Amino acid sequence: WGLARALLASGDAAGTDAAIDATLAESPHHVGARVERGRRLWDRDDEAGAVAVLREAVGLAPVDGELLRGSARERADGLVLLG
């Protein structure tokens, strides 16, 4: 996740996407990575994809049968994106 954040800051879109994918492959319950994936999907006008991943990130939809519980900031960021 640290690599994804560094690549995001550097403006490397493809690298960021790959690092987010790698983070979620290793840690499917990573809330911060899910929020950022949702943000990036919104930016690409993929509303359905963004809503689905953000609902998971904020604990409104389960991931592998479990509701996720991130930090207050991660939850707030996800809820703001959901509107």
Side-chain angles (χ1 to χ4, degrees):
W1 175 235
L3 176 60
R5 290 174 48 196
L7 291 167
L8 177 64
S10 77
D12 181 348
T16 300
D17 290 336
I20 290 171
D21 290 345
T23 298
L24 291 173
E26 291 296 318
S27 182
H29 296 161
H30 195 292
V31 174
R34 285 188 181 279
V35 171
E36 187 56 39
R37 176 180 270 172
R39 183 184 331 272
R40 297 176 74 73
L41 290 170
W42 273 122
D43 290 346
R44 295 182 182 125
D45 296 322
D46 181 354
E47 182 177 347
V51 167
V53 76
L54 290 167
R55 285 180 50 79
E56 292 171 343
V58 301
L60 296 175
V63 175
D64 300 327
E66 180 181 335
L67 294 178
L68 303 184
R69 295 172 40 167
S71 70
R73 181 179 180 143
E74 290 168 328
R75 185 172 168 79
D77 286 348
L79 289 169
V80 165
L81 288 166
L82 282 171

